[in-house]
Structure formats: structure tokens, C-alpha cells
Amino acid sequence: MTPEIQSQKSRALCELAPVIPVLVVADASKAEGLATALVAGGLPVLEVTLRTQAALDVIREMAKVPGGHVGAGTVLTPDDVKRAKDAGASFAVSPGATERLVRACEEAELPLLPGSATASEVMRAMEWGYSMLKFFPAEAAGGAKMLKSLGGPLPQVSFCPTGGVSPTNARDYLSLSNVICVGGSWISPDAEVAAGSWAAIEARAREARALK
């Protein structure tokens, strides 16, 4: 799967909702309930970061939830790509991009949403064939003003900013012509996930759905 096709598929997923929940889940037994609540709240695209030992099991369980599209985040190596694909991930997200990672996603036919934070990084991704990127770490890298500036010389690239995005600044990003959606972790607080407070998480997902 070429980077061009990967970006087409990533963009289609990003267009499904204004927010992609970024999830760090340590207990796989919470996966189905969490995914069900988020999908019911109107956020069908979920990013499960590979930051816990349970992450791959969480992806397996969430991939069973009807209407959901589950991807793996913090994908750094070709081995991460293989493990994510085997677990049922339908896309991958990385904080940056390397040639090894790009080639691994091509071979595994797993759409990659590669990260970038500077004009040079965006241009390198464009040379590989990507047109849909993650902007990370969004707030630390200049926020919505930086993304607006990138849109001038590089209008052919679209972004999903992640990192420091919250309900208070999400609309600043979503109002930009080169932003398709944002990624955020505020929708499913750890305490609510641990307690199985699915109704509260679903309500927060509905609020996020209404941001755009």
C-alpha cells in the first residue's frame, strides 16, 4: 500500500468525526465498554497507544465493537507495525516518521498517519507520498498559529493535530482549512475508565462530536 493510498485511507477515517480519542488503556477488560461508549457518542475512530502491556489486547477487544475503527498509536518500529496489524489495528499513528517505518507500513498494507512538527518534516513526508499527517506535539510546536502558517506554503497537506489539544482550544485547530480533525485524551479520563463510567464518557464524546 503506497503512502498516497495510505493517506487517502487515513483522511477518510479522519473525516468521520472531529475528534479521535487518544487512549492509554492498561486494563483490557475495560476495552469493549470504553469503545462502545465512544462509538455510541459519535466518535468511531479510536487510537490506542502502544504504551501499556495491555495495548495489543485492548486493540483486539476494541476491534470487535461494531462501527468502530481502531488504530495503534505510538507506532515506532517495523515490529510495532506487525504487532499492531496482527492485533486487528486498521491504521497506525506515529509521533514522527522514518524510512523503515514507512516501508514497513507499505509492506503490511497498514495506513500510517505519520507525525510532523516542522516544514522540513512535512516536506519529507510529502516526498514519500503522504498528504495526511499528524501534527505533534501540537501545542508545544506552535499550536494553531503554526499550523495556519504551514498552510500557506504547503496547502496540499492536511493534519490531525495531537498533543495539548483540549476542549478549550480544539475549535482553534478545527477552524483551520488544513485541519481535518484533532486527537485528544480528555474524553476518557483514567478514573472514569477504571470505574467503568461509560455513560459519562459517552456524554463527553457527544460534546466532542459537536465541536465541528
Coordinates of all heavy atoms in Angstrom, one line a residue, residues 81-139:
V81 N 4.6 -2.2 13.9 CA 3.6 -2.3 12.7 C 3.0 -3.7 12.6 O 1.8 -3.9 12.5 CB 4.3 -1.9 11.4 CG1 3.4 -2.2 10.2 CG2 4.7 -0.5 11.4
K82 N 3.9 -4.7 12.7 CA 3.5 -6.1 12.6 C 2.5 -6.5 13.7 O 1.5 -7.1 13.5 CB 4.7 -7.0 12.5 CG 4.3 -8.5 12.3 CD 5.5 -9.4 12.3 CE 5.1 -10.9 12.0 NZ 4.0 -11.4 12.9
R83 N 2.9 -6.1 14.9 CA 2.1 -6.5 16.1 C 0.8 -5.8 16.1 O -0.3 -6.4 16.4 CB 2.9 -6.2 17.4 CG 4.1 -7.0 17.6 CD 4.7 -6.8 19.0 NE 5.1 -5.4 19.1 CZ 4.9 -4.7 20.2 NH1 4.3 -5.2 21.2 NH2 5.3 -3.4 20.3
A84 N 0.8 -4.5 15.6 CA -0.5 -3.8 15.6 C -1.4 -4.4 14.5 O -2.6 -4.6 14.8 CB -0.2 -2.3 15.3
K85 N -0.9 -4.7 13.4 CA -1.7 -5.3 12.3 C -2.3 -6.6 12.7 O -3.4 -6.9 12.5 CB -0.9 -5.4 11.0 CG -1.6 -6.0 9.8 CD -2.6 -5.0 9.3 CE -3.3 -5.6 8.0 NZ -2.5 -5.7 6.9
D86 N -1.4 -7.5 13.4 CA -1.8 -8.8 13.8 C -2.9 -8.7 14.9 O -3.8 -9.6 15.0 CB -0.7 -9.6 14.4 CG 0.3 -10.0 13.3 OD1 -0.1 -9.9 12.1 OD2 1.4 -10.4 13.6
A87 N -2.9 -7.6 15.7 CA -3.9 -7.4 16.7 C -5.2 -6.9 16.2 O -6.2 -6.9 16.9 CB -3.4 -6.5 17.8
G88 N -5.3 -6.5 14.9 CA -6.5 -6.0 14.4 C -6.6 -4.5 14.1 O -7.7 -4.0 13.8
A89 N -5.5 -3.8 14.3 CA -5.5 -2.4 14.0 C -5.7 -2.1 12.6 O -5.2 -2.8 11.7 CB -4.1 -1.8 14.4
S90 N -6.6 -1.1 12.3 CA -6.9 -0.7 10.9 C -6.1 0.4 10.4 O -6.2 0.8 9.2 CB -8.4 -0.5 10.8 OG -8.8 0.6 11.6
F91 N -5.3 1.1 11.3 CA -4.4 2.1 10.9 C -3.3 2.3 12.0 O -3.5 1.7 13.1 CB -5.1 3.5 10.7 CG -5.8 4.0 11.9 CD1 -5.2 5.0 12.6 CD2 -7.1 3.6 12.3 CE1 -5.8 5.6 13.8 CE2 -7.7 4.2 13.4 CZ -7.0 5.1 14.1
A92 N -2.3 3.0 11.7 CA -1.2 3.3 12.6 C -0.9 4.8 12.7 O -1.1 5.5 11.7 CB 0.1 2.5 12.2
V93 N -0.5 5.2 13.9 CA -0.2 6.6 14.1 C 1.2 6.6 14.8 O 1.5 5.9 15.7 CB -1.2 7.3 15.0 CG1 -0.9 8.8 15.2 CG2 -2.6 7.1 14.5
S94 N 2.1 7.6 14.3 CA 3.4 7.7 14.8 C 3.7 9.1 15.2 O 3.2 10.0 14.5 CB 4.4 7.2 13.8 OG 5.7 7.3 14.3
P95 N 4.5 9.4 16.2 CA 4.9 10.8 16.5 C 5.8 11.4 15.5 O 6.0 12.6 15.4 CB 5.6 10.7 17.9 CG 6.1 9.3 17.9 CD 5.1 8.4 17.2
G96 N 6.4 10.6 14.7 CA 7.3 11.1 13.6 C 7.3 10.1 12.4 O 6.3 9.4 12.2
A97 N 8.3 10.1 11.7 CA 8.4 9.1 10.5 C 9.8 8.8 10.2 O 10.7 9.7 10.2 CB 7.7 9.7 9.3
T98 N 10.1 7.6 9.9 CA 11.4 7.1 9.4 C 11.2 6.3 8.2 O 10.1 5.8 7.9 CB 12.1 6.3 10.4 OG1 11.4 5.0 10.6 CG2 12.3 7.0 11.8
E99 N 12.2 6.1 7.4 CA 12.1 5.4 6.2 C 11.7 3.9 6.5 O 10.9 3.3 5.8 CB 13.3 5.4 5.3 CG 13.2 4.8 4.0 CD 14.4 5.1 3.0 OE1 15.2 5.9 3.4 OE2 14.4 4.5 2.0
R100 N 12.3 3.3 7.5 CA 12.0 2.0 7.9 C 10.5 1.8 8.3 O 9.9 0.8 7.9 CB 12.9 1.5 9.1 CG 14.3 1.3 8.8 CD 15.1 0.9 10.0 NE 14.8 -0.4 10.4 CZ 14.4 -0.7 11.6 NH1 14.4 0.2 12.6 NH2 14.1 -2.0 12.0
L101 N 10.0 2.8 9.0 CA 8.6 2.7 9.4 C 7.7 2.8 8.2 O 6.7 2.1 8.1 CB 8.3 3.8 10.4 CG 6.9 3.8 11.0 CD1 6.6 2.6 11.8 CD2 6.7 5.1 11.9
V102 N 8.0 3.8 7.3 CA 7.2 3.9 6.1 C 7.2 2.7 5.3 O 6.1 2.2 4.8 CB 7.8 5.1 5.3 CG1 7.1 5.1 3.9 CG2 7.5 6.4 6.0
R103 N 8.3 2.0 5.1 CA 8.4 0.8 4.3 C 7.6 -0.3 5.0 O 7.0 -1.1 4.3 CB 9.9 0.4 4.0 CG 10.7 1.4 3.3 CD 10.0 1.9 2.0 NE 10.7 3.1 1.4 CZ 10.0 4.1 0.9 NH1 8.7 4.1 0.8 NH2 10.7 5.1 0.4
A104 N 7.7 -0.4 6.3 CA 7.0 -1.5 7.0 C 5.5 -1.3 6.8 O 4.8 -2.3 6.6 CB 7.4 -1.4 8.5
C105 N 5.0 -0.1 6.8 CA 3.6 0.1 6.6 C 3.1 -0.2 5.2 O 2.0 -0.7 5.0 CB 3.2 1.5 7.0 SG 3.1 1.8 8.8
E106 N 4.0 0.1 4.3 CA 3.8 -0.3 2.9 C 3.6 -1.8 2.7 O 2.7 -2.3 2.1 CB 4.9 0.2 2.0 CG 4.9 1.7 1.6 CD 6.0 2.0 0.6 OE1 7.1 1.6 0.8 OE2 5.7 2.7 -0.4
E107 N 4.6 -2.5 3.3 CA 4.6 -4.0 3.2 C 3.4 -4.6 3.9 O 2.8 -5.6 3.5 CB 5.9 -4.5 3.7 CG 7.1 -4.1 2.9 CD 8.4 -4.5 3.5 OE1 8.4 -5.2 4.5 OE2 9.5 -4.2 2.9
A108 N 3.1 -4.0 5.1 CA 2.0 -4.6 5.9 C 0.6 -4.1 5.4 O -0.4 -4.6 5.9 CB 2.1 -4.2 7.4
E109 N 0.6 -3.2 4.5 CA -0.7 -2.6 4.0 C -1.5 -2.0 5.2 O -2.7 -2.2 5.3 CB -1.5 -3.6 3.2 CG -0.8 -4.1 1.9 CD -1.7 -4.9 1.0 OE1 -2.7 -5.4 1.5 OE2 -1.3 -5.0 -0.2
L110 N -0.8 -1.3 6.0 CA -1.4 -0.6 7.1 C -1.3 0.9 7.0 O -0.1 1.4 6.9 CB -0.7 -1.1 8.4 CG -1.3 -0.6 9.7 CD1 -2.7 -1.2 9.9 CD2 -0.4 -0.9 10.9
P111 N -2.4 1.6 6.8 CA -2.3 3.1 6.6 C -1.6 3.7 7.8 O -1.9 3.4 9.0 CB -3.8 3.5 6.5 CG -4.5 2.3 6.1 CD -3.8 1.1 6.7
L112 N -0.6 4.6 7.5 CA 0.1 5.3 8.5 C -0.2 6.8 8.5 O -0.3 7.4 7.5 CB 1.6 5.1 8.3 CG 2.6 5.9 9.2 CD1 2.5 5.4 10.6 CD2 4.0 5.8 8.7
L113 N -0.5 7.3 9.7 CA -0.6 8.7 9.9 C 0.7 9.2 10.6 O 0.8 9.1 11.8 CB -1.8 9.0 10.8 CG -2.2 10.5 11.0 CD1 -2.7 11.1 9.7 CD2 -3.3 10.6 12.0
P114 N 1.6 9.6 9.8 CA 2.9 10.0 10.4 C 3.0 11.3 11.0 O 2.3 12.3 10.5 CB 3.9 9.9 9.1 CG 3.0 10.2 8.0 CD 1.6 9.7 8.3
G115 N 3.8 11.5 12.0 CA 3.8 12.8 12.7 C 4.8 13.7 12.1 O 5.8 13.3 11.5
S116 N 4.6 15.0 12.3 CA 5.5 16.1 11.8 C 5.3 17.3 12.6 O 4.2 17.5 13.2 CB 5.2 16.4 10.3 OG 3.9 16.9 10.2
A117 N 6.3 18.1 12.8 CA 6.2 19.3 13.6 C 6.8 20.5 12.9 O 6.7 21.6 13.4 CB 6.9 19.1 14.9
T118 N 7.5 20.3 11.8 CA 8.2 21.4 11.1 C 7.9 21.3 9.6 O 7.5 20.3 9.1 CB 9.7 21.3 11.3 OG1 10.3 20.2 10.6 CG2 10.1 21.3 12.8
A119 N 8.2 22.4 8.9 CA 8.1 22.4 7.4 C 8.9 21.4 6.8 O 8.5 20.7 5.8 CB 8.4 23.8 6.9
S120 N 10.2 21.2 7.3 CA 11.1 20.2 6.7 C 10.5 18.8 6.8 O 10.6 18.0 5.9 CB 12.5 20.3 7.3 OG 13.1 21.5 6.9
E121 N 10.0 18.5 8.0 CA 9.4 17.2 8.2 C 8.1 17.0 7.3 O 7.9 15.9 6.8 CB 9.0 17.0 9.7 CG 10.2 16.9 10.6 CD 9.9 17.0 12.1 OE1 8.7 17.1 12.4 OE2 10.8 16.8 12.9
V122 N 7.3 18.0 7.2 CA 6.2 17.9 6.3 C 6.7 17.6 4.9 O 6.1 16.8 4.1 CB 5.3 19.2 6.4 CG1 4.2 19.1 5.3 CG2 4.7 19.3 7.7
M123 N 7.7 18.4 4.4 CA 8.2 18.2 3.1 C 8.8 16.8 2.8 O 8.6 16.2 1.8 CB 9.2 19.3 2.8 CG 8.6 20.7 2.6 SD 9.8 22.0 2.6 CE 10.7 21.6 1.1
R124 N 9.4 16.3 3.8 CA 10.0 14.9 3.7 C 8.8 13.9 3.6 O 8.9 13.0 2.7 CB 10.8 14.6 4.9 CG 11.5 13.2 4.8 CD 12.3 12.9 6.0 NE 11.6 12.9 7.3 CZ 12.1 12.8 8.5 NH1 13.4 12.6 8.6 NH2 11.4 12.8 9.6
A125 N 7.8 14.1 4.4 CA 6.6 13.2 4.3 C 6.0 13.3 2.9 O 5.6 12.3 2.3 CB 5.6 13.5 5.4
M126 N 5.9 14.5 2.4 CA 5.4 14.7 1.0 C 6.2 14.0 0.0 O 5.7 13.4 -1.0 CB 5.3 16.2 0.7 CG 4.3 17.0 1.5 SD 4.4 18.8 1.3 CE 4.2 18.9 -0.5
E127 N 7.5 14.0 0.1 CA 8.4 13.3 -0.8 C 8.1 11.8 -0.8 O 8.2 11.2 -1.9 CB 9.9 13.6 -0.5 CG 10.3 15.0 -0.8 CD 11.8 15.1 -0.5 OE1 12.4 14.2 0.1 OE2 12.4 16.2 -0.9
W128 N 7.8 11.3 0.3 CA 7.4 9.8 0.4 C 6.0 9.6 -0.2 O 5.7 8.5 -0.6 CB 7.4 9.4 1.8 CG 8.8 9.2 2.4 CD1 9.9 8.7 1.7 CD2 9.2 9.4 3.8 NE1 11.0 8.6 2.6 CE2 10.6 9.0 3.8 CE3 8.5 9.8 4.9 CZ2 11.3 9.1 5.0 CZ3 9.3 9.9 6.1 CH2 10.6 9.5 6.1
G129 N 5.2 10.6 -0.3 CA 3.9 10.5 -0.9 C 2.7 10.7 0.1 O 1.5 10.6 -0.3
Y130 N 3.0 11.2 1.3 CA 1.9 11.4 2.3 C 1.3 12.8 2.1 O 2.1 13.8 1.9 CB 2.5 11.3 3.7 CG 2.8 9.8 4.1 CD1 4.1 9.4 4.0 CD2 1.8 8.9 4.4 CE1 4.4 8.1 4.3 CE2 2.1 7.6 4.8 CZ 3.4 7.2 4.7 OH 3.7 5.9 5.0
S131 N 0.0 12.9 2.3 CA -0.7 14.2 2.2 C -1.6 14.4 3.4 O -2.2 15.4 3.6 CB -1.5 14.3 1.0 OG -2.5 13.3 0.9
M132 N -1.6 13.4 4.3 CA -2.4 13.5 5.6 C -1.5 13.1 6.7 O -0.9 12.0 6.8 CB -3.6 12.5 5.5 CG -4.5 12.5 6.8 SD -5.5 14.0 6.8 CE -5.5 14.4 8.6
L133 N -1.2 14.1 7.6 CA -0.2 13.9 8.6 C -0.8 14.3 10.0 O -1.8 15.0 10.2 CB 1.0 14.9 8.4 CG 1.7 14.8 7.0 CD1 2.8 15.8 6.9 CD2 2.3 13.4 6.8
K134 N -0.1 13.7 11.0 CA -0.3 14.1 12.4 C 0.6 15.3 12.7 O 1.7 15.3 12.2 CB 0.0 13.0 13.3 CG 0.0 13.3 14.8 CD 0.4 12.0 15.6 CE 0.5 12.3 17.0 NZ 0.7 11.0 17.8
F135 N 0.1 16.4 13.3 CA 0.9 17.5 13.8 C 1.1 17.3 15.3 O 0.2 17.4 16.1 CB 0.2 18.8 13.5 CG 1.0 20.0 13.9 CD1 2.2 20.3 13.4 CD2 0.5 20.9 14.9 CE1 3.0 21.4 13.7 CE2 1.2 22.0 15.3 CZ 2.5 22.3 14.7
F136 N 2.4 17.0 15.6 CA 2.7 16.6 17.0 C 4.1 17.1 17.4 O 5.0 17.0 16.6 CB 2.6 15.1 17.2 CG 3.0 14.6 18.5 CD1 2.1 14.6 19.6 CD2 4.3 14.2 18.8 CE1 2.4 14.2 20.8 CE2 4.7 13.7 20.1 CZ 3.7 13.7 21.1
P137 N 4.3 17.6 18.6 CA 3.3 17.9 19.7 C 2.6 19.2 19.4 O 3.3 20.2 19.4 CB 4.1 17.9 21.0 CG 5.5 18.3 20.5 CD 5.7 17.8 19.1
A138 N 1.4 19.2 19.2 CA 0.7 20.4 18.6 C 0.9 21.7 19.4 O 1.4 22.7 18.8 CB -0.8 20.1 18.5
E139 N 0.6 21.7 20.6 CA 0.7 23.0 21.4 C 2.2 23.4 21.5 O 2.5 24.5 21.4 CB 0.0 22.8 22.7 CG -1.5 23.0 22.7 CD -1.9 24.4 22.3 OE1 -1.9 25.3 23.2 OE2 -2.3 24.6 21.1

